[in-house]
């Protein structure tokens, strides 16, 4: 029922195994069933514990792509929303995730525990540009957050330390983070007259 991959990851091969490990709170009164429940209680795995342990490790890890891709999600799932938001507000971490590690920015927006945070909103409005040019992150954030945003100092420091030439906006000139615009859709070759959305 368990498979250990070449990279050391363990996969549950059957859903009933996952159910057995995570769902043991049955109300069945049968004696045999109660014995089974006692055994399951000893072997029970609480998914929130997994998120907590993984979140703590990913929060400290600064090299592994997996950490950059999944830290925000696991921290949010275990209730460590401040730590998750701290990563998203750390420009060096954010730039490393998006530009160096190739983490799709939309996953960070999706996993953010506070979707109304100004940095998360600015990142969401920048997805169309970052998909093609991830190093444009500094320009996109400052262009939406403004030069008086607390993140500006760290953006300047990181870009200078990396020796990257970039156009630094002196004022917000793109759609602001709190603007009703949520996302820019690209790819059409002519006028758009209607749009249909599907839940999937």
């Amino acid at each position: 029922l368990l498979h250990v991959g070449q990279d050391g990851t363990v996969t549950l091969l059957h859903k009933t195994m996952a159910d057995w490990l995570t769902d043991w709170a049955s109300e069945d009164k049968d004696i045999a069933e109660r014995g089974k429940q006692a055994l399951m209680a000893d072997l029970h795995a609480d998914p929130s514990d997994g998120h907590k342990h993984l979140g703590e490790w990913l929060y400290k890890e600064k090299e592994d792509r997996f950490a950059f891709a999944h830290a925000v999600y696991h921290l949010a799932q275990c209730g460590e929303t401040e730590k998750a938001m701290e990563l998203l507000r750390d420009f060096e971490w954010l730039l490393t995730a998006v530009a160096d590690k190739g983490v799709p920015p939309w996953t960070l927006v999706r996993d953010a525990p506070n979707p109304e945070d100004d940095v998360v909103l600015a990142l969401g409005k920048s997805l169309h540009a970052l998909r093609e040019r991830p190093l444009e992150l500094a320009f996109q954030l400052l262009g939406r957050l403004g030069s008086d945003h607390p993140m500006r100092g760290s953006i300047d420091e990181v870009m200078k330390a990396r020796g990257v030439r970039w156009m630094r906006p002196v004022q917000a000139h793109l759609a602001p983070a709190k603007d009703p615009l949520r996302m820019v859709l690209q790819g059409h070759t002519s006028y758009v007259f209607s749009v249909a959305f599907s839940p999937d």
Side-chain angles (χ1 to χ4, degrees):
L1 293 176
L2 294 176
H3 174 264
V4 180
Q6 291 179 345
D7 61 353
T9 57
V10 178
T11 307
L12 296 172
L13 295 179
H14 202 280
K15 184 179 178 331
T16 56
M17 181 66 166
D19 292 344
W20 183 68
L21 285 170
T22 60
D23 184 19
W24 53 270
S26 172
E27 295 296 325
D28 197 324
K29 302 292 184 208
D30 183 68
I31 294 173
E33 188 63 24
R34 278 190 257 146
K36 177 182 167 190
Q37 294 300 323
L39 174 64
M40 288 170 62
D42 290 339
L43 297 175
H44 174 71
D46 186 345
S48 64
D49 285 343
H51 288 301
K52 182 176 187 294
H53 295 302
L54 196 51
E56 288 172 359
W57 176 74
L58 296 173
Y59 179 76
K60 296 173 188 168
E61 175 60 40
K62 300 297 181 197
E63 297 297 325
D64 195 304
R65 182 188 185 281
F66 184 88
F68 287 92
H70 302 287
V72 172
Y73 171 78
H74 288 289
L75 288 168
Q77 291 299 309
C78 74
E80 293 283 358
T81 57
E82 281 304 312
K83 284 186 175 180
M85 292 309 299
E86 180 186 320
L87 291 179
L88 291 171
R89 292 180 190 128
D90 178 344
F91 180 73
E92 185 168 13
W93 185 90
L94 200 54
L95 185 63
T96 301
V98 173
D100 300 341
K101 301 297 182 180
V103 175
W106 67 266
T107 62
L108 300 173
V109 172
R110 175 198 65 198
D111 296 340
N114 181 1
E116 296 304 314
D117 180 82
D118 56 353
V119 173
V120 175
L121 290 171
L123 188 59
K125 288 180 176 63
S126 305
L127 296 178
H128 67 287
L130 298 177
R131 185 177 64 225
E132 300 295 325
R133 300 171 303 280
L135 282 173
E136 201 175 288
L137 179 64
F139 174 79
Q140 287 288 327
L141 289 179
L142 281 183
R144 296 178 192 286
L145 297 171
S147 59
D148 59 341
H149 192 273
M151 205 176 199
R152 178 176 182 173
S154 65
I155 291 174
D156 287 340
E157 287 175 22
V158 170
M159 296 303 277
K160 184 176 180 179
R162 285 183 172 225
V164 176
R165 293 180 145 213
W166 64 294
M167 289 180 22
R168 180 177 60 186
V170 292
Q171 62 186 12
H173 64 286
L174 299 173
K178 302 279 185 184
D179 190 78
L181 169 74
R182 285 294 201 192
M183 190 177 299
V184 175
L185 302 177
Q186 283 187 321
H188 46 275
T189 57
S190 187
Y191 295 108
V192 175
F193 295 102
S194 65
V195 177
F197 291 93
S198 172
D200 61 349

